[in-house]
Amino acid sequence: MAANSFRSRALTALAGLLALSFGSLADSRIEDQAEQFFRSGHTNNWAVLVCTSRFWFNYRHVANTLSVYRSVKRLGIPDSHIVLMLADDMACNARNPKPATVFSHKNMELNVYGDDVEVDYRSYEVTVENFLRVLTGRVPPGTPRSKRLLSDDRSNILIYMTGHGGNGFLKFQDSEEITNIELADAFEQMWQKRRYNELLFIIDTCQGASMYERFYSPNIMALASSQVGEDSLSHQPDPAIGVHLMDRYTFYVLEFLEEINPASQTNMNDLFQVCPKSLCVSTPGHRTDLFQRDPKNVLITDFFGSVRKVEITTETISLQPDLGIMESSNKEDQIDEERMEPLKYAEQLPVAQIIHQKPKLKDWHPPGGFILGLWALIIMVFFKTYGIKHMKFIF
Amino acid sequence: MAAAVRLALIVLLLLGPGGWGHAEPSRDSLREELVITPLPSGDVAATFQFRTRWDSELHREEVSHYRLFPKALGQLISKYSLQELHLSFTQGFWRTRYWGPPFLQAPSGAELWVWFQDTVTDVDKSWKELSNVLSGIFCASLNFIDSTNTVIPTASFKPLGLANGTDHYFLRYAVLPREVVCTENLTPWKKLLPCSSKAGLSVLLKADRLFHTSYHSQAVHIRPVCRNARCTSISWELRQTLSVVFDAFVTGQGKKDWSLFRMFSRTLTEPCPLAAESRVYVDITSSKQDNETLEVNPPPLTTYQDVILGTQKTYAVYDLLDTAVINNSRNLNLQLKWKRPPENGYIHYQPAQDRLQPHLLEMLIQLPANSVTKVSIQFERALLKWTEYTPDPNHGFYVSPSVLSALVPSIVASKPVDWEESPLFNTLFPGSDSSSYFVRLYTEPLLVNLPTPDFSMPYNVICLTCTVVAVCYGSFYNLLTRTFHIEEPSKGGLAKRLANLIRRARGIPPL
């Protein structure tokens, strides 16, 4: 009896222990899921990549932008969510010894231009106005979708800019510049319009850190390739192409990103360590005080990759045939049988018709106010001078 | 038994409501073709054409199912009520003088011309919206098209498709010559093809080869065509064309041997499964001219002859849908080789070395009959050292005359001469052949006016320099090295005393 009760007590204790352990396991799983839920608060990713320099000797800026484009596409952001702005065409430039290529490593190892590239704003379209319109969403009506930044309040946006800059400004195409105050105000407009959830701003120019000094909107993290007073230097020239291929900071960022895959758990602190002063000569800087999460909890793929929440279902859906199309096609054949006269092609050069055509009269517009007023004045003066009796000759 | 019943049930289920699957015929068809034309200058031109024909009236019915015809363009036709659309992107210029007439030429840059249907009320607004949409589809700056670069031609650009009226009010034409063509324009163009770049002729479309060319032109043409011979209904035809000209020296390393692999770095493996026709044509018209024979490998199974652009042309045809064409090696790599007789001409050129030897150019040419052959050399005039000028440099310098040695065919056959018997004027040149005689002719010497310096300049420079040195340096030297003493005026020399004597005699005050 005592043994039985002892055994039953042991069993209940064991059962209780097992239940506890199961409960804790389930709790930890729920906790994991909850933490994951809090870790990434965004549902879609966008990228705006801008190269602001023109001319062949600024090849490296285009290569910078294209290498970030390549990484971002590789990690999952589709072309429809990338706005790529390149101020000049290097790939098909007459000076490029290998057309349709833009290389980032010397000896032509890596072609960052690739075969599947879609440039949304190119050549003269890359202006400060267009850039700010893209960011704030105030684009002219009729702008195609691929040129718009259709982000919402759950979008994580990556903004990468490169070119020639100075203390507080970035030069666009050697003809205009954008200041850090304008950029900060644009980001504030984006925040007010709830156009982003979190924003990562990377800039690779000389004195790049000055561009993020004035930000004041929440949830912005910024990286720059050099501090105020320092120049960002270029990496290595290629003797066959004849120009410098990449800037140092973006070169090491590209090498860092090549190690990332869509499932990697690398966080932002590793990105801050990319390119120390020994490699970059300039001191890269970063700014995280406006960002709510801790950078060590922010994954690289939160900004460079794309979140796709896929739900697998085992339901089947059967498609119904659209009988409407079949009937209309039958009707159409009958209608075609009844059309009487056959159609014909137009004559390409009907000389007789061209020679004898009358030149199109310009649309007649009634005379405008000024002409009417002038004639009224002339007529009034005439009648005042010569008397009203002349009116009878008119009427 | 149960399995068979189940299979029958499944088959019945599939066929029952699925009878629509193959009752409705496919309304669109794709034809793809590549024409390879060796050009007279040694280059080779390749023209791709992908034609999707869609038997549907887009304006009357609501279309919701797009198969081969791309949805992006189909929606454009119905939304903007297009009658025709022609858009081309070109880099380079078609050199008709060296390459012959083109199939379809396009201007450098981007060209867009559109015929709208006569139901459109505001043509300018539709034109502006259409160019914006196209700039998004093709990643080009077509949004720069506005009233400053749009015209309404009144006589040219008649519709290339079916048209019932040609009121030029519905036509708009614009060209952007500054537009650059690059991979970002080719990528969306390729994505409009039914087989994309995965199968058929479009596997050859690799950007790094297509842009390494002298001429690259890609175009999209949409127009209504007759559906059948009676032409009672219309179909919409979408043609995507791409013409490139590969340079013999850049791509071919100077040799005139071409193959698909050398041109595109790819070979053909299979036709596009969605294509009704998939053919490669090679122009072998000039295969029997100029003592050169063009050999095409593998030999064609059929040929096609017709009058194209005014001349009779012959094409070798390779039908990719014919299983005999793509043989056991499962790929088709067309090769074009020119076999010419070894003795064609001879050129010897020895460039000059300054102050050592002159230029020497010798050419052996075979002149075609009834023609004019011009040989010209470009030269630059340079300055000589000033001691190398003759005393009369303004006369110019002479270039020695050129020599022309020719074997002229004689009309009358001559018999060999005996040197001792015939008169002296007949035995100047030894004649070996009775059908031609040898003659040596000379051109005039050339008098070239070289840039002549002003020879008086050294003298001028010496004078000026010496003057400046003398005046400036001399003055400084004097100021620095001379010391000044005060001098008592002397009482008077002899001349002064004599002068005073004479003055006293005259009665005027003394010096």
Side-chain angles (χ1 to χ4, degrees):
Chain A
M1 207 61 193
N4 271 349
S5 66
F6 175 71
R7 211 182 298 129
S8 64
R9 233 178 299 155
L11 270 173
T12 46
L14 192 64
L17 205 65
L18 277 171
L20 263 178
S21 63
F22 275 133
S24 68
L25 265 175
D27 274 342
S28 66
R29 207 174 297 132
I30 291 175
E31 222 176 81
D32 275 340
Q33 284 181 353
E35 198 183 316
Q36 194 139 32
F37 184 73
F38 283 120
R39 194 177 294 180
S40 58
H42 64 287
T43 57
N44 55 79
N45 284 79
W46 287 81
V48 179
L49 311 172
V50 183
C51 160
T52 59
S53 297
R54 179 166 275 277
F55 306 122
W56 173 247
F57 49 82
N58 290 322
Y59 183 101
R60 59 190 188 279
H61 296 140
V62 171
N64 289 350
T65 318
L66 285 172
S67 56
V68 177
Y69 173 77
R70 171 205 150 79
S71 309
V72 148
K73 257 180 89 157
R74 198 174 53 81
L75 292 172
I77 303 188
D79 269 314
S80 55
H81 283 223
I82 302 178
V83 177
L84 177 61
M85 305 172 78
L86 297 180
D88 203 357
D89 167 57
M90 299 302 168
C92 290
N93 198 315
R95 288 163 124 158
N96 193 348
K98 305 246 326 171
T101 57
V102 173
F103 293 108
S104 61
H105 289 62
K106 71 172 182 202
N107 300 326
M108 303 184 193
E109 283 166 20
L110 181 59
N111 175 16
V112 288
Y113 195 58
D115 221 2
D116 186 18
V117 56
E118 288 183 15
V119 180
D120 301 303
Y121 286 84
R122 62 184 200 159
S123 190
Y124 298 128
E125 294 172 289
V126 178
T127 58
V128 173
E129 182 188 340
N130 281 350
F131 175 61
L132 292 177
R133 282 186 185 276
V134 163
L135 285 185
T136 55
R138 296 207 295 269
V139 288
T143 312
R145 276 184 81 100
S146 58
K147 287 181 164 175
R148 294 185 193 226
L149 180 65
L150 299 166
S151 55
D152 52 29
D153 64 323
R154 303 290 293 282
S155 307
N156 273 13
I157 308 183
L158 163 73
I159 299 185
Y160 175 83
M161 303 183 73
T162 181
H164 287 291
N167 190 356
F169 67 93
L170 169 63
K171 192 169 70 159
F172 267 67
Q173 290 208 44
D174 217 12
S175 68
E176 49 182 359
E177 62 276 333
I178 185 172
T179 57
N180 49 5
I181 302 172
E182 286 175 353
L183 196 57
D185 287 342
F187 286 161
E188 176 65 12
Q189 286 185 51
M190 287 173 78
W191 174 250
Q192 300 279 343
K193 289 163 82 159
R194 296 289 180 264
R195 276 170 72 75
Y196 70 90
N197 175 37
E198 282 167 353
L199 200 137
L200 175 63
F201 176 77
I202 306 182
I203 184 160
D204 188 348
T205 64
C206 303
Q207 308 194 52
S210 64
M211 290 304 285
Y212 61 61
E213 277 174 357
R214 301 292 194 124
F215 291 166
Y216 56 95
S217 319
N219 286 352
I220 300 184
M221 195 188 309
L223 281 99
S225 61
S226 56
Q227 302 292 332
V228 173
E230 286 179 350
D231 286 337
S232 287
L233 300 179
S234 56
H235 190 235
Q236 43 180 225
D238 181 289
I241 301 179
V243 285
H244 285 264
L245 295 180
M246 284 271 271
D247 278 330
R248 283 177 190 249
Y249 182 69
T250 313
F251 181 83
Y252 291 109
V253 167
L254 171 67
E255 283 197 349
F256 172 77
L257 288 174
E258 289 284 297
E259 317 265 320
I260 309 281
N261 54 50
S264 84
Q265 299 289 310
T266 337
N267 56 39
M268 278 292 163
N269 276 339
D270 303 324
L271 188 58
F272 296 156
Q273 308 304 324
V274 161
C275 208
K277 196 173 164 80
S278 55
L279 289 172
C280 256
V281 185
S282 58
T283 320
H286 54 89
R287 179 178 177 180
T288 52
D289 57 310
L290 296 165
F291 206 73
Q292 283 174 1
R293 293 192 284 149
D294 194 347
K296 76 170 191 301
N297 291 334
V298 180
L299 299 177
I300 299 285
T301 51
D302 280 350
F303 288 102
F304 286 89
S306 186
V307 170
R308 301 280 178 83
K309 296 223 161 39
V310 176
E311 201 182 287
I312 300 179
T313 171
T314 50
E315 285 180 29
T316 55
I317 302 173
S318 53
L319 299 168
Q320 299 298 321
D322 195 349
L323 302 164
I325 287 187
M326 250 182 21
E327 289 166 9
S328 70
S329 70
N330 291 336
K331 262 194 297 226
E332 192 192 294
D333 290 335
Q334 291 164 6
I335 289 173
D336 290 340
E337 297 294 331
E338 294 153 17
R339 196 206 298 250
M340 292 319 295
E341 81 274 9
L343 306 156
K344 55 188 189 329
Y345 292 103
E347 233 189 276
Q348 287 303 299
L349 207 61
V351 177
Q353 183 195 351
I354 292 173
I355 291 176
H356 293 114
Q357 73 182 346
K358 293 197 232 332
K360 183 120 175 53
L361 294 165
K362 284 177 74 75
D363 295 334
W364 183 80
H365 300 284
F370 177 73
I371 303 288
L372 273 176
L374 191 65
W375 275 108
L377 185 68
I378 291 169
I379 288 174
M380 241 177 35
V381 166
F382 170 75
F383 283 121
K384 270 209 151 62
T385 324
Y386 295 107
I388 206 78
K389 65 180 189 296
H390 289 271
M391 287 274 276
K392 71 172 190 281
F393 289 112
I394 297 175
F395 295 108
Chain B
M1 188 58 197
V5 165
R6 218 174 302 155
L7 194 63
L9 267 174
I10 290 171
V11 167
L12 215 62
L13 272 172
L14 282 175
L15 278 181
W20 81 96
H22 40 93
E24 185 185 317
S26 54
R27 312 261 297 276
D28 45 14
S29 65
L30 168 71
R31 280 174 61 177
E32 51 180 26
E33 131 189 324
L34 163 63
V35 181
I36 299 181
T37 316
L39 299 169
S41 59
D43 309 323
V44 70
T47 308
F48 291 85
Q49 280 206 50
F50 300 90
R51 190 197 90 155
T52 306
R53 204 186 84 170
W54 195 18
D55 299 330
S56 142
E57 302 249 3
L58 278 169
H59 302 292
R60 275 197 280 171
E61 66 182 45
E62 296 250 328
V63 179
S64 55
H65 181 60
Y66 289 87
R67 198 176 75 105
L68 296 178
F69 202 95
K71 180 172 167 193
L73 298 180
Q75 285 181 328
L76 273 187
I77 300 176
S78 39
K79 176 153 188 228
Y80 295 107
S81 304
L82 298 182
Q83 177 79 12
E84 281 193 19
L85 181 136
H86 300 271
L87 171 64
S88 69
F89 296 100
T90 311
Q91 164 218 328
F93 184 68
W94 181 274
R95 314 228 161 246
T96 312
R97 200 195 308 176
Y98 302 115
W99 298 340
F103 288 121
L104 184 69
Q105 195 183 359
S108 221
E111 183 201 43
L112 174 66
W113 59 279
V114 174
W115 274 94
F116 289 91
Q117 299 238 324
D118 43 12
T119 53
V120 174
T121 47
D122 193 347
V123 180
D124 290 316
K125 181 160 156 304
S126 301
W127 169 250
K128 182 82 188 125
E129 285 175 15
L130 176 68
S131 44
N132 275 329
V133 170
L134 287 173
S135 88
I137 296 178
F138 289 101
C139 289
S141 314
L142 297 176
N143 48 318
F144 285 144
I145 290 180
D146 56 8
S147 63
T148 59
N149 46 26
T150 307
V151 288
I152 308 176
T154 57
S156 185
F157 290 104
K158 299 276 184 208
L160 288 173
L162 294 172
N164 46 4
T166 58
D167 184 1
H168 280 258
Y169 173 67
F170 296 101
L171 167 65
R172 292 291 182 275
Y173 175 89
V175 170
L176 294 171
R178 182 68 169 96
E179 198 61 26
V180 171
V181 191
C182 208
T183 314
E184 67 247 23
N185 306 111
L186 184 67
T187 306
W189 188 94
K190 278 198 290 193
K191 287 186 180 161
L192 293 174
L193 298 172
C195 274
S196 191
S197 50
K198 310 268 191 312
L201 295 178
S202 42
V203 299
L204 299 177
L205 301 174
K206 288 294 159 207
D208 54 345
R209 307 300 299 170
L210 289 179
F211 287 102
H212 206 49
T213 52
S214 320
Y215 175 81
H216 173 107
S217 174
Q218 64 195 52
V220 171
H221 302 279
I222 304 178
R223 58 178 182 171
V225 292
C226 295
R227 196 182 295 193
N228 44 27
R230 284 174 304 147
C231 209
T232 48
S233 51
I234 64 171
S235 314
W236 285 93
E237 180 195 75
L238 163 70
R239 270 191 204 226
Q240 289 179 255
T241 64
L242 193 138
S243 297
V244 287
V245 174
F246 292 100
D247 196 299
F249 286 100
V250 172
T251 320
Q253 285 115 39
K255 296 195 283 275
K256 270 166 67 166
D257 292 334
W258 293 105
S259 72
L260 282 184
F261 189 78
R262 167 168 276 157
M263 290 193 272
F264 303 105
S265 67
R266 295 281 183 292
T267 56
L268 292 169
T269 49
E270 49 165 350
C272 175
L274 302 167
E277 274 180 38
S278 183
R279 293 211 184 121
V280 180
Y281 292 86
V282 181
D283 186 347
I284 50 176
T285 316
S286 52
S287 67
K288 301 161 193 101
Q289 295 175 0
D290 292 342
N291 291 335
E292 278 180 332
T293 46
L294 171 65
E295 186 195 289
V296 184
N297 213 352
L301 299 169
T302 49
T303 58
Y304 171 71
Q305 285 203 1
D306 205 351
V307 177
I308 312 282
L309 293 170
T311 49
Q312 180 80 13
K313 292 223 167 112
T314 314
Y315 292 89
V317 183
Y318 296 87
D319 192 347
L320 292 179
L321 292 169
D322 188 0
T323 45
V325 169
I326 298 189
N327 53 8
N328 300 337
S329 65
R330 302 206 40 85
N331 70 353
L332 175 66
N333 183 17
L334 290 172
Q335 280 161 341
L336 286 79
K337 280 198 189 39
W338 287 93
K339 292 221 165 63
R340 52 158 59 130
E343 61 275 337
N344 188 28
Y346 169 77
I347 293 186
H348 173 235
Y349 175 61
Q350 192 179 31
Q353 281 178 299
D354 279 350
R355 301 175 183 88
L356 274 184
Q357 65 186 20
H359 290 285
L360 171 65
L361 174 64
E362 285 184 88
M363 292 190 292
L364 177 68
I365 323 172
Q366 196 163 28
L367 298 175
N370 289 333
S371 64
V372 174
T373 306
K374 282 192 193 166
V375 178
S376 61
I377 297 182
Q378 285 180 317
F379 55 89
E380 285 178 3
R381 297 181 281 192
L383 277 175
L384 301 175
K385 297 185 182 170
W386 72 296
T387 47
E388 292 170 349
Y389 282 95
T390 56
D392 57 346
N394 292 306
H395 180 79
F397 288 81
Y398 283 92
V399 176
S400 47
S402 314
V403 187
L404 177 68
S405 316
L407 266 179
V408 185
S410 58
I411 306 171
V412 182
S414 62
K415 51 188 195 306
V417 290
D418 184 3
W419 277 47
E420 298 305 315
E421 298 299 317
S422 42
L424 294 171
F425 59 78
N426 206 11
T427 56
L428 284 165
F429 292 109
S432 54
D433 208 351
S434 63
S435 63
S436 58
Y437 59 94
F438 180 76
V439 67
R440 182 168 284 148
L441 305 172
Y442 291 86
T443 66
E444 292 177 13
L446 186 61
L447 184 58
V448 178
N449 217 346
L450 283 187
T452 313
D454 184 1
F455 291 105
S456 63
M457 275 313 285
Y459 165 75
N460 294 341
V461 169
I462 292 172
C463 279
L464 189 66
T465 317
C466 289
T467 309
V468 167
V469 166
V471 168
C472 294
Y473 177 68
S475 309
F476 270 118
Y477 180 76
N478 284 338
L479 281 173
L480 290 173
T481 55
R482 288 247 180 99
T483 54
F484 293 93
H485 308 282
I486 298 179
E487 216 178 67
E488 297 294 324
S490 57
K491 200 60 186 73
L494 177 64
K496 198 163 167 197
R497 270 186 256 143
L498 275 174
N500 282 337
L501 266 172
I502 298 168
R503 284 170 84 99
R504 228 183 305 144
R506 287 174 65 198
I508 44 180
L511 286 169

